[in-house]
Amino acid sequence: MNLYLVRHGETEWNRLKKFQGQLNSDLTEIGIEQAKALGKYLEKENIEFDFVYSSPLERAYDTAKLIKSDVEIITDDRLMEMAFGKWEGMDVELIKKESAENFHNFFNSSDKYDHISNEAESFESLEARIRTFLDEIKEKHRDKNVLVVSHGVTLKVFVKVIKNQDLKEFSQSGGIFNTSLSLITYNNKWNIEYLSKLDHLEGQLITEWISK
C-alpha cells in the first residue's frame, strides 16, 4: 500500500497565528492555490488514488476536494486535529504569555505537556486513534494508493507511530507544512519514503503558521 499524507492548505487562523484544533477556519486564497497546485502536481506525476480519506473538519475536506474533485472523499473522525481545549481560537502570543511553560512543553518537551489543565486531548489519545486507523487501512487497502488529508499535529503523530518515537523524540521532529506531501508504504511493515515534500510549491505558497 502507498499511503500519501497531506496537511490542509493555509487557513485564516494559520495566517493570524491562532490555534485551531477542532474548531474551523476557512482556507485563505493561498491555501486554495496550494491545494490546486498539489492536485496539478499529482496529475503530472500520474499519481492516482483508489481511496481518499479526510478529516471531517472543513479546512481538510475542502483541501481534499481541491486536490481530487472527481472522487468520493471518505471522512473519518480519527483524522481530526488534536483537541487543544482552552487554546482553541486563541492567539499564539497570548498563549505564550498565559501558559508559557505548557506552551513550551507542547512543542519542545511533549512528554511534559499537561493536557488536563488545558481541558484538552492527550497525545496518548491522539496516538490511539491514529493507530486504529493505520491498522484498519493496512488490512482493507492492500496494494492500493490511499490519500489522507489531515492536520499538522495529527500527521506528526502518524510519523511518531511509524518511527516508534517516544514523546521526547516526537517533540524534536520537524513540522508538517501546508499541503506538503508525505509517502508511507506498507509491505508487511511500514516504511517512510519521504516527508513534507513541497515540490509543487514555490514562493509565497510555501507557508508555515507558527514560530515556537
Side-chain angles (χ1 to χ4, degrees):
M1 181 179 68
N2 294 319
L3 177 61
Y4 293 86
L5 304 176
V6 172
R7 184 184 171 197
H8 61 79
E10 184 196 62
T11 69
E12 297 290 350
W13 282 10
N14 288 160
R15 179 69 63 84
L16 294 171
K17 295 191 175 181
K18 289 186 175 186
F19 259 72
Q20 294 176 126
Q22 295 185 357
L23 296 181
N24 200 57
S25 173
D26 292 337
L27 296 177
T28 63
E29 286 300 318
I30 284 178
I32 291 168
E33 291 305 314
Q34 289 171 328
K36 288 179 177 178
L38 179 54
K40 290 175 183 175
Y41 172 81
L42 293 168
E43 186 175 352
K44 181 170 68 81
E45 295 295 313
N46 295 313
I47 299 174
E48 296 290 338
F49 302 109
D50 300 292
F51 299 93
V52 177
Y53 288 86
S54 173
S55 158
L57 296 173
E58 287 178 20
R59 60 189 184 272
Y61 186 84
D62 290 348
T63 299
K65 288 296 290 182
L66 288 164
I67 294 169
K68 293 296 292 180
S69 61
D70 57 344
V71 298
E72 177 191 3
I73 296 170
I74 305 163
T75 57
D76 193 309
D77 288 351
R78 292 172 293 184
L79 300 175
M80 293 175 73
E81 181 59 294
M82 189 177 193
F84 298 132
K86 294 177 180 178
W87 289 355
E88 294 191 0
M90 285 182 64
D91 293 338
V92 168
E93 292 305 317
L94 182 58
I95 296 170
K96 286 180 180 179
K97 288 178 183 176
E98 293 188 352
S99 308
E101 182 178 359
N102 211 25
F103 182 88
H104 173 84
N105 288 342
F106 182 85
F107 286 103
N108 299 285
S109 301
S110 300
D111 54 318
K112 298 177 182 176
Y113 169 64
D114 179 11
H115 71 282
I116 295 174
S117 66
N118 207 27
E119 298 177 9
E121 183 177 17
S122 68
F123 280 105
E124 290 79 10
S125 170
L126 175 54
E127 181 171 332
R129 55 182 165 96
I130 296 309
R131 284 187 179 277
T132 63
F133 179 82
L134 284 170
D135 287 345
E136 182 179 310
I137 64 167
K138 77 182 183 185
E139 298 301 325
K140 285 174 65 175
H141 302 321
R142 289 180 180 272
D143 303 318
K144 302 295 184 183
N145 277 3
V146 178
L147 173 65
V148 165
V149 182
S150 187
H151 307 269
V153 178
T154 302
L155 292 175
K156 277 192 68 173
V157 170
F158 271 83
V159 177
K160 177 187 184 303
V161 170
I162 303 305
K163 288 187 172 183
N164 197 30
Q165 295 173 326
D166 60 30
L167 279 172
K168 211 159 201 176
E169 293 169 316
F170 164 83
S171 62
Q172 301 306 313
S173 60
I176 304 291
F177 285 76
N178 293 117
T179 70
S180 64
L181 185 66
S182 302
L183 174 58
I184 297 170
T185 56
Y186 184 78
N187 185 14
N188 296 320
K189 67 174 184 176
W190 292 105
N191 185 61
I192 296 174
E193 303 295 333
Y194 53 80
L195 289 175
S196 207
K197 191 173 174 181
L198 293 171
D199 290 4
H200 58 292
L201 300 181
E202 59 183 18
Q204 68 172 353
L205 292 185
I206 299 175
T207 59
E208 182 56 28
W209 78 276
I210 196 167
S211 59
K212 297 175 187 178

